[in-house]
Amino acid sequence: MPSDGAHADIKDIRPFLKYFNELVATEVYNDVLFVSEKNENVWWYDGERIAFRTPNYTKILNAMRTQPTLTLSDMKEETGISITAIQKLLDRLISKKYVERGEKEGSWRVFLTQ
């Protein structure tokens, strides 16, 4: 019963305290990283730190943010990455829901922040 919590001993709520302390520590750590980390391959999505292993993601994401209506050919010219590689990287970004292409306007929406 929820009312039992008001009368619980410390040993009864120890698992919750452990969980809560770890949650707060993780959130504070991520907040500090968000404002202090200066790595071009680190992005943030919904409070989660995303570290890309290749700078190609950053090139594509920056191109899409500055010019949302880019085509694959435009991205190739802008980034110097092959269309095949761009398509693979885009497929991963889309599957993770980090980016999406608007159907009507055809422009890219980037949901990651740097």
Side-chain angles (χ1 to χ4, degrees), residues 54-86:
T54 172
N56 288 347
Y57 282 105
T58 296
K59 289 178 185 177
I60 290 171
L61 289 165
N62 283 330
M64 289 176 5
R65 281 188 346 182
T66 58
Q67 301 173 59
T69 57
L70 287 176
T71 63
L72 291 178
S73 297
D74 296 334
M75 280 188 209
K76 178 184 178 200
E77 284 185 37
E78 185 76 24
T79 63
I81 304 168
S82 74
I83 289 180
T84 305
I86 289 171

Side-chain angles (χ1 to χ4, degrees), residues 34-108:
F34 181 75
V35 297
S36 65
E37 189 170 33
K38 303 296 180 218
N39 183 336
E40 68 179 24
N41 293 325
V42 173
W43 292 70
W44 293 85
Y45 176 74
D46 196 24
E48 182 180 341
R49 182 180 181 269
I50 311 298
F52 294 114
R53 290 182 280 177
T54 172
N56 288 347
Y57 282 105
T58 296
K59 289 178 185 177
I60 290 171
L61 289 165
N62 283 330
M64 289 176 5
R65 281 188 346 182
T66 58
Q67 301 173 59
T69 57
L70 287 176
T71 63
L72 291 178
S73 297
D74 296 334
M75 280 188 209
K76 178 184 178 200
E77 284 185 37
E78 185 76 24
T79 63
I81 304 168
S82 74
I83 289 180
T84 305
I86 289 171
Q87 188 61 59
K88 285 180 184 178
L89 297 172
L90 281 175
D91 288 345
R92 288 186 194 128
L93 291 170
I94 291 168
S95 71
K96 297 272 189 179
K97 308 227 185 287
Y98 297 156
V99 300
E100 73 177 19
R101 183 110 188 189
E103 290 183 29
K104 290 183 182 178
E105 69 278 359
S107 60
W108 291 101

